[in-house]
Amino acid sequence: MANEPRDPMPLEEPMFILGNGEMYRNQTEVKMSQIVLPCHANYCGELSAGQLLKWMDSTACLSAERHAGCSCITASVDDIHFETTIGVGQVVNITAKVNRAFTSSMEVGISVSCEDLFSDRQWKVCHAFATFVARRTEAGKVQLKQVIPRTQAEQMEYSLAAERRRMRLIHAEIINDLLSKTLKRVSECLDYQDAVPAERTRVESVELVLPPHANHQVSTFGGQIMAWMENVATISASRLCNAHPTLRSIDMFHFRGPSHIGDRLVLKAIVNNAFKKSMEVGVCAEAYQGGEPLRHINTAFMTFEVLDNDRKPCTLPRIRPEPVDGKRRFQEAIARKKIRLDRKYIISCKQSEVPLSVPWDPSNQMYLSYNNVSALKMLAARSNWVLTSEKNKVSLYTLEENQMLCFKVETHVAVAAEQVFLLLSDLRRRKAWDHHYKECEVITDSHEDDTIYRVVTPSVTKGGKVQDFILLASRRRPCDSGDPYLIALRSVTLPAYPPTEDYNRGEVLCAGFSIWEEENSFTKISYYNQATPGVLPYISTDIAGLSSSFYCTFASCSAFLEENKDNLASLPTSTL
């Protein structure tokens, strides 16, 4: 029985009316609707997750090929979290469109919803991002044309795609580093008497790649490989719990090499670890033809649950890992679970649901950095800013939404954007132009693009305690010529720097600079600050007083940039 719909969702309208009244539809958008038949369902009468993955991959591939004008192959898929299951007789609606194109690769956003034809209701199933690569043509390597975002939503996804790409490129390296560090702190496996031997969950299966499994370039569909991998993973999970498991998530994975018609695809799965309510299954896909050695195609980690009649997760049996490699997989699964929870907590939830200060540690620094920059990009992409006042070429905008008070200050300087970025990147130099910054020290350089500072500012109230902030500063150079430089700020917590009685610990939800290069060495600087009521750092919420404060501060900022534009030698090496 499929999950009941949570909230009604209106049918998507493909046409948009732009501000100038023009009717617009994204030319890369592809839609697929499929009614779930018994042949698509598993033993529970629910749509097989493997079949859904095939449909998602096919839709995304068609979108990528529409933009590229040539055949494309699946390179990677980001984390997928399945919120609900889909029953026989219901309709699956899949929408895919290219968010951004790079040199020869592109990010495709995939949205999946379910529709009940009898109640005329829709609800979200999952959202995913896949990377596709355009295949070489006879003329050589493909140079993809740029995507031109037209709507606010497209502009936001276009901007965020660059940050997601950055995270993908360093994902494997950082995960391996985190696993090696985390494993040192993981306890030894406990040998429970009632534990199920991991060997019992081992599954191996072989598939022959036939023409229906491949595209017109004889390469095996990525979605087909994912479907076969999901099949063996489900069998493995079933052997642990002697029940019908439900796939809840798939970790980000990359296709290491191609598979073609005639390949024998060897699929291996085993339960790495069973937690109280979920289990992780590792799956490996390898290919060969004739007597050649096995080629590694893909490795994925899938999380399963077993649901009771009320759709609540059941308690699972413990597992007894095999010696050596089994214990390694057991411990790595514990580390991956923590990483997975951090990633889901920081990245997947809405910005308004993330607490003001998130604890920072090496296991989540990549996701905090992503969240920091993404929050600033989403704030900058808002279209409903209201011009409150303007003076001496400094403009103040405000936006109040969902109990959030947001500010944008905009000015122009006759300094190159690169120089502005370098001068503003190190917060220790901010004391020279912002009188609110009384003290600023570097706590740690967590990454070449991320630094954590402790900042001391005056009291908000007369006679009150001074404030201090623990701020994560994330710096980004442009991904393409049309992108801005970014300096994103948000509060984090560190055990070594707890609040003290001498200071009021302040919080910054989202703040930072967006720096745009313009003609004739002019640069547009936009400063953003988002805060909940009562948490706005070191400034008054009185608009008149606020305007005066911003005008003085950014007049000083402009003067500072003009005076120091040729004096970059004194900047710290980490900033340069």
Side-chain angles (χ1 to χ4, degrees), residues 198-217:
E199 180 63 28
R200 175 181 164 185
T201 71
R202 185 181 296 278
V203 179
E204 181 171 330
S205 181
V206 64
E207 298 282 353
L208 174 62
V209 180
L210 300 173
H213 304 139
N215 60 22
H216 43 287
Q217 297 293 324

Side-chain angles (χ1 to χ4, degrees), residues 515-530:
I515 302 165
W516 296 86
E517 186 173 9
E518 296 186 334
E519 295 179 353
N520 302 321
S521 296
F522 271 82
T523 297
K524 182 176 77 172
I525 305 173
S526 298
Y527 173 76
Y528 299 89
N529 195 312
Q530 177 182 10

Side-chain angles (χ1 to χ4, degrees), residues 48-68:
S48 161
Q51 181 62 61
L52 178 58
L53 291 169
K54 287 170 62 176
W55 287 340
M56 290 170 64
D57 181 68
S58 297
T59 310
C61 185
L62 291 172
S63 174
E65 292 184 345
R66 177 178 284 185
H67 179 75

Side-chain angles (χ1 to χ4, degrees), residues 143-186:
Q143 176 70 45
L144 293 173
K145 60 185 178 183
Q146 291 297 311
V147 171
I148 302 176
R150 300 289 298 277
T151 67
Q152 181 181 344
E154 288 179 1
Q155 290 168 356
M156 185 168 64
E157 291 296 347
Y158 178 89
S159 181
L160 294 178
E163 189 64 17
R164 286 190 289 262
R165 179 174 185 259
R166 177 183 180 275
M167 191 165 66
R168 282 181 210 113
L169 293 175
I170 62 176
H171 178 264
E173 175 187 344
I174 289 182
I175 290 295
N176 290 336
D177 183 54
L178 292 179
L179 286 176
S180 63
K181 291 178 180 178
T182 309
L183 287 179
K184 297 176 183 177
R185 304 193 297 268
V186 175

Side-chain angles (χ1 to χ4, degrees), residues 57 61 72-77 130-133 220-223 226 253 255:
D57 181 68
C61 185
C72 299
I73 55 175
T74 313
S76 68
V77 180
T131 300
F132 284 81
V133 175
T220 314
F221 278 118
M226 288 187 282
F253 60 86
F255 286 94

Side-chain angles (χ1 to χ4, degrees), residues 192-497:
Y192 295 101
Q193 293 298 318
D194 58 346
V196 177
E199 180 63 28
R200 175 181 164 185
T201 71
R202 185 181 296 278
V203 179
E204 181 171 330
S205 181
V206 64
E207 298 282 353
L208 174 62
V209 180
L210 300 173
H213 304 139
N215 60 22
H216 43 287
Q217 297 293 324
V218 304
S219 295
T220 314
F221 278 118
Q224 179 63 69
I225 297 174
M226 288 187 282
W228 284 332
M229 294 175 75
E230 186 272 338
N231 178 60
V232 294
T234 300
I235 297 172
S236 177
S238 300
R239 288 181 177 175
L240 173 72
C241 56
N242 296 324
H244 302 314
T246 298
L247 179 63
R248 279 304 183 210
S249 68
I250 305 175
D251 289 0
M252 179 189 296
F253 60 86
H254 300 259
F255 286 94
R256 305 298 178 186
S259 168
H260 305 287
I261 292 176
D263 276 351
R264 280 70 171 171
L265 216 62
V266 180
L267 304 137
K268 301 175 184 178
I270 191 170
V271 176
N272 292 330
N273 203 334
F275 308 103
K276 187 174 182 181
K277 302 287 186 180
S278 65
M279 70 186 95
E280 179 193 279
V281 180
V283 195
C284 176
E286 298 173 311
Y288 71 94
Q289 283 198 13
E292 68 178 20
L294 290 170
R295 309 188 312 272
H296 183 202
I297 303 298
N298 191 7
T299 296
F301 300 99
M302 303 184 183
T303 302
F304 288 84
E305 293 176 347
V306 176
L307 305 179
D308 61 20
N309 293 333
D310 297 323
R311 310 299 296 177
K312 301 295 183 183
C314 301
T315 301
L316 299 175
R318 298 184 179 94
I319 194 163
R320 184 184 304 120
E322 301 167 299
V324 190
D325 282 347
K327 289 188 175 182
R328 173 186 57 79
R329 289 194 300 267
F330 181 94
Q331 293 177 331
E332 286 179 349
I334 297 174
R336 271 191 299 270
K337 182 186 179 186
K338 182 185 183 308
I339 295 169
R340 197 177 295 126
L341 291 174
D342 285 341
R343 186 167 57 220
K344 183 179 179 181
Y345 177 62
I346 296 171
I347 295 179
S348 301
C349 59
K350 297 177 182 177
Q351 182 65 20
S352 59
E353 296 172 351
V354 178
L356 295 178
S357 288
V358 176
W360 179 93
D361 66 54
S363 69
N364 69 5
Q365 67 179 35
M366 177 174 67
Y367 311 116
L368 268 177
S369 179
Y370 170 86
N371 175 269
N372 194 17
V373 175
S374 298
L376 180 61
K377 287 186 174 185
M378 288 189 284
L379 184 59
R382 300 282 184 88
S383 61
N384 50 342
W385 290 99
V386 177
L387 178 62
T388 304
S389 57
E390 193 170 13
K391 181 181 178 181
N392 297 332
K393 298 182 180 179
V394 177
S395 303
L396 173 63
Y397 298 81
T398 58
L399 186 155
E400 192 167 357
E401 192 175 80
N402 298 328
Q403 295 186 328
M404 295 284 182
L405 185 60
C406 308
F407 301 91
K408 177 173 77 169
V409 185
E410 205 165 80
T411 189
H412 293 76
V413 294
V415 182
E418 172 80 6
Q419 293 170 312
V420 172
F421 173 71
L422 293 175
L423 288 167
L424 296 181
S425 287
D426 187 0
L427 296 190
R428 290 172 295 182
R429 298 176 67 95
R430 189 161 169 171
K431 294 185 294 182
W433 58 269
D434 188 348
H435 67 277
H436 300 110
Y437 271 52
K438 296 300 184 185
E439 299 176 28
C440 183
E441 62 173 316
V442 172
I443 294 176
T444 178
D445 279 313
S446 60
H447 185 265
E448 61 181 7
D449 293 325
D450 298 289
T451 304
I452 299 178
Y453 296 89
R454 179 178 178 266
V455 176
V456 177
T457 69
S459 171
V460 175
T461 59
K462 187 175 181 180
K465 294 180 182 179
V466 294
Q467 294 191 104
D468 70 339
F469 299 81
I470 308 298
L471 297 179
L472 170 65
S474 302
R475 302 173 291 271
R476 298 290 188 272
R477 283 180 163 80
C479 180
D480 287 324
S481 58
D483 292 336
Y485 294 85
L486 292 171
I487 306 167
L489 306 171
R490 69 154 299 144
S491 288
V492 295
T493 58
L494 290 173
Y497 289 83

